[in-house]
Structures are given as C-alpha cells and as structure tokens.
Amino acid sequence: MSSATSNAALSERSRRAVWHPCTQMKRHEREPLLPIVRADGVWLIDAEGRRYLDGVSSWWVNLFGHGHAGIGAALKDQIDRLDHVMLAGLTHEPVIELSERLEALTGLGHAFYGSDGASATEIALKMSAHGWRNLGQPQKCEFVGLAGGYHGETVGALSVTDIPIFREAYAPLLRLSAALPAPDARGAHAGEDGAAVARRAAVALELYLEQHHHRTAALIVEPLVQCAAGFAMHHPEYLRMARALCTRYQVHLICDEIAVGFGRTGSLFAHQQAGIRPDFICLSKGLTGGSLPLSAVLTTDAVYDSFYDDRTARGFLHSHSYTGNPLACRAALAVLDVFEQEPVFERNQATAQRLNDLVAPLAGHPSVRHARQLGMLWAYDIQTDDPSFSARYHQAALERGLLLRPIGNTLYFMPPYVMDEPAMQQLADGALRALQAVLPA
Ligand SMILES: *Cc1c(COP(=O)(O)O)cnc(C)c1O
C-alpha cells in the first residue's frame, strides 16, 4: 500500500468499490470520504498526514485509544499459537478464561459468543423465548422495549429498535414489539426530578406487563443511557423498578450494555449503578477495545438450566462461524487486564472533572440545551432548525482536527479513556469553535 496516495484518490476508489454504512452514498459526491492510514492513541492520521482526535472512540469501541500495546501484544502472542478453531465440540483457553472472568465480574455466566452487537441482541431474544418454551410457556414470545431504544439493525434486533429512520423502509419485515415510554430525564415536568420521571415511566411498564405478561418473553433496555437515541439518560431508579416488575410478572430483563459497558458510565457495567441483576447481559463494542469484532451474551443459571437436557431440540440452536474466536477472546482478556491492573475509574474521574471545566464555555453556549455528562460521556442538544446541522458540524469539526458526528441535533463526546491535557483542550476548544462556525451568532 503506497503511502504517497492522496486523500482524494483513496476517497474516489472507496466511493466506487465500498458501500459505506449509515450515510447516503450520494452525499459523498460533494463530501469526500476521509481515508485513515494510521492511528495512535486518541489520534487518527489521514493519507496526507493530518491528525484528527477520535472524539467518538470510532463508534464507541476504542476504549483505550488506538494501537494499545497490551492488546497488540496479546494478539501477536495468540496468532502464533492458535488463530481459530470451531467451538462446537472443541474449546480453548482464551474462551474459557474470558467466560470465567466475565462471570466473576457480572454474576451472570454461561457466556455465548457472537461477532457483533446486533447478533448479541438476536441471541438474547432467541434464548429468552426458547427458555420460556422449554418451561412450557411457548406463548411468551413477544418482546417489549423503550421508546428510542436501539439494539442493532439485523431484522430481529431492528424489531426491538425504536428509531424511525432505521425502521421505516424495513417495517414490513419486522415483528411488532411495543415501545414503552422511556424514562428520559429531559422529559421532567415542572417540579419533577429524574427519579420522578423514572417512576412515571415504570408505571407505564407496570400497566403494560399487567395486561401482556402472558405473551411477553422479555423487556430489553439500555441501562442508564440510550446512546443512539441521542444520549437520553435516566435515573437508576427505573432499572430497579423494571427489575422488580419483570420479576413479579415473570418477564426476562435484558440489559443491552453494548454501548455503555466497560466503564463508559463510571462503573464497569451501567446496570451495576442500580444494584440489580438482569436475566441477560449483552456485551460488544468495548469488549475488545476496538481491535476485533466480538460479542457475548451472559445469562442466569435458571435460563441455562431450562435448556439443559438430553434432547437436542431443547438446546440453544444458534451458531456463528467465528463464535468464540481465540484472537478476539485474547483481545478481550487484554482489555480486562487493563481494568484490573490500572486505576481506570480514578483516571476517568479526573479526566471527566478536567474536561467538565474545559467544556464550560460550550455548555454555556446560547444554543445548547440539556448539557449532560455521565462517566466518560458528554452530550449537548443544539437548538437549530437546520436539518443538515449534523453533517455541517461533522465537517466543521474535521477542519479543526476533531472526529465528531452528532446524532441529529445532539452533539456528543465519547472519547477514549486516554485523553491527556492537550487532547482535552483541543476537544473542548475545537468543539466550541466548530459550533460557532456552524451557528454564527
Ligand atoms: C451499537 C449498538 C448495538 C449494535 O451493535 P453492532 O455491533 O453495531 O451490531 C446494539 N445495542 C446498542 C446499545 C448499541 O449501541
């Protein structure tokens, strides 16, 4: 691969050969694709040597930045031992150790592996409904989620995703599932706090389950933050009440920790802030720190036992070619090592405190509503009628050396956990200057 190739030449080749996700390809007639040739820590480096701070951890996966030495060393060691082996009837140490450690960290076990977040959702939905069937309740095969919920975009996962733009064209392919009022703290009425909003949303859940529990297999939620909905945050009280209602009405609680897991919200897993135990946990994104695709679903002994039998048909019938890939498992073990060996949470607290100071001018900008922060996650709703705000902001940020990609009118930062002072200053200053450029006073 020639390093002399220009950004424009690579962009043009990509436009012809690659169907890029989550964008209208026609947009790239005017707006070139940005070719990245190297990455180091929080920095992405393009084909012409320009550097961009990865303010979104490359779609929320690169927890410890790019090119992390520990993850790289683990992969190099593993590739010389065992690259891959099928997991049906065979096993290997990386998958055993990863499963043991995830169980120790969550209290849920029996790890089942997929390759991406959407397949983790599919696994949890199928396991939940099949589990009820095995217990003699085959009518419990419907799912319920929250308004604005996002759980991936394969056909099954999209059925429990409530983001109209992603659903519209595929609606005829989807199974209907209910989307209940979300406990979004921004929806507080006068005099209400986040806990009151949570209680109000829990009442809607109670009414729903009272009527539909006979047919409902599971409630699926994104604990504490609905990221793809535009970083809607809720009080942990909602999770406590949802847990109690799911137990009372015999409905599984699935916590989709794909975006918020691995320290993003200030605890290793977001649901832990509510002190609850779900029936399923879905993990992906940060699981391998942005090195290889991997997802895992963890569940309870009760669910596992409902499948444990001599009859194949009662077993969990689901398989992916790369399930439990040894390289991906080693990368995940290296990520867990970082959490075990380094003071990640203390460091993130200090980073968040410093960045909060630095972004005060942005949070105080007259077009910003609902400035909010949790753990290593910042979000700002920008008041503007410009339908192209997100695209224009993205470009303005790139011009200032920042990779930021607002969701609708919500500007957010989800930076890697390795921000130093100059990086924090560039993020805070650049984000404000990009906003001033896009929305001149
Ligand atoms: C990203 C995401 C998914 C889907 O993961 P993919 O790897 O993109 O399929 C599911 N749930 C949540 C909460 C996510 O943020």
Side-chain angles (χ1 to χ4, degrees):
M1 282 180 283
S2 153
S3 55
T5 317
S6 71
N7 280 352
L10 286 170
S11 171
E12 194 47 29
R13 278 173 59 198
S14 194
R15 202 168 70 81
R16 289 178 191 284
V18 182
W19 196 331
H20 289 267
C22 208
T23 7
Q24 171 51 265
M25 285 302 295
K26 190 162 191 291
R27 182 169 138 190
H28 294 302
E29 281 180 10
R30 293 165 282 128
E31 217 176 85
L33 290 143
L34 179 63
I36 300 300
V37 295
R38 269 188 315 119
D40 179 21
V42 301
W43 300 102
L44 304 171
I45 299 142
D46 76 12
E48 293 167 9
R50 271 186 296 272
R51 293 156 69 83
Y52 307 87
L53 195 158
D54 187 351
V56 297
S57 299
S58 282
W59 261 352
W60 322 343
V61 303
N62 284 85
L63 293 188
F64 299 107
H66 297 267
H68 187 272
I71 299 172
L75 288 175
K76 284 170 192 153
D77 178 69
Q78 184 60 38
I79 200 151
D80 289 333
R81 292 169 190 270
L82 172 66
D83 49 2
H84 181 68
V85 68
M86 59 192 272
L87 205 60
L90 297 92
T91 194
H92 53 82
E93 276 188 61
V95 80
I96 296 169
E97 189 184 336
L98 179 59
S99 308
E100 289 171 348
R101 286 173 70 177
L102 289 175
E103 176 166 14
L105 291 167
T106 62
L108 296 192
H110 314 290
F112 195 98
Y113 293 92
S115 316
D116 50 48
S119 58
T121 299
E122 303 284 349
I123 289 163
L125 298 179
K126 282 179 69 179
M127 250 183 207
S128 169
H130 193 171
W132 289 121
R133 179 188 161 89
N134 283 345
L135 292 173
Q137 302 209 59
Q139 78 290 351
K140 282 171 89 74
C141 61
E142 291 175 6
F143 304 102
V144 56
L146 296 182
Y150 181 91
H151 303 287
E153 293 168 62
T154 52
V155 173
L158 196 54
S159 292
V160 289
T161 285
D162 182 50
I163 302 209
I165 179 90
F166 296 148
R167 280 182 71 104
E168 218 168 60
Y170 314 103
L173 311 183
L174 306 180
R175 241 169 139 254
L176 275 182
S177 70
L180 299 179
D184 184 348
R186 291 171 300 181
H189 299 161
E192 267 188 340
D193 59 7
V197 179
R199 284 191 290 272
R200 190 149 49 76
V203 169
L205 174 61
E206 180 167 11
L207 291 175
Y208 181 88
L209 291 181
E210 211 169 65
Q211 279 195 349
H212 300 283
H213 66 99
H214 300 104
R215 306 191 54 80
T216 306
L219 166 70
I220 182 165
V221 298
E222 294 156 88
L224 298 190
V225 192
Q226 293 180 294
C227 296
F231 298 89
M233 298 186 182
H234 59 253
H235 194 280
E237 183 64 10
Y238 183 77
L239 299 172
R240 285 190 281 273
M241 298 186 78
R243 172 68 278 178
L245 290 167
C246 284
T247 303
R248 187 191 326 154
Y249 287 106
Q250 290 209 0
V251 166
H252 291 140
L253 175 62
I254 304 172
C255 279
D256 176 350
E257 293 262 0
I258 292 166
V260 292
F262 298 101
R264 185 55 70 179
T265 67
S267 50
L268 189 57
F269 298 107
H271 73 269
Q272 293 170 336
Q273 292 183 39
I276 60 156
R277 201 174 87 118
D279 299 292
F280 294 90
I281 300 173
C282 299
L283 302 173
S284 190
K285 291 209 164 99
L287 177 57
T288 63
S291 58
L292 283 170
L294 180 68
S295 63
V297 176
L298 307 171
T299 191
T300 59
D301 292 344
V303 168
Y304 180 77
D305 290 345
S306 71
F307 287 81
Y308 203 76
D309 197 271
D310 288 321
R311 287 162 288 178
T312 304
R314 280 178 69 102
F316 185 53
L317 300 171
H318 188 97
S319 37
H320 293 293
S321 317
Y322 281 90
T323 188
N325 172 262
L327 287 164
C329 289
R330 276 299 294 278
L333 287 169
V335 166
L336 296 183
D337 286 345
V338 178
F339 278 103
E340 212 172 273
Q341 293 161 13
E342 298 179 20
V344 177
F345 295 102
E346 290 81 348
R347 223 166 44 200
N348 283 356
Q349 256 172 28
T351 302
Q353 217 165 44
R354 177 68 183 137
L355 198 51
N356 277 339
D357 289 342
L358 291 170
V359 294
L362 173 69
H365 186 279
S367 66
V368 167
R369 302 284 177 277
H370 300 295
R372 51 202 185 275
Q373 174 255 332
L374 183 67
M376 284 292 283
L377 201 164
W378 288 258
Y380 310 89
D381 298 341
I382 309 298
Q383 194 157 57
T384 168
D385 299 328
D386 180 1
S388 61
F389 167 76
S390 173
R392 289 178 58 226
Y393 188 92
H394 174 64
Q395 282 305 319
L398 283 180
E399 285 160 22
R400 288 157 183 82
L402 298 176
L403 174 65
L404 293 172
R405 202 180 145 108
I407 294 181
N409 285 359
T410 301
L411 165 63
Y412 75 94
F413 310 144
M414 228 153 131
Y417 302 166
V418 290
M419 300 279 285
D420 59 10
E421 177 68 22
M424 285 192 268
Q425 287 185 6
Q426 176 161 347
L427 178 59
D429 295 351
L432 175 60
R433 283 186 290 112
L435 186 62
Q436 290 163 340
V438 171
L439 301 178

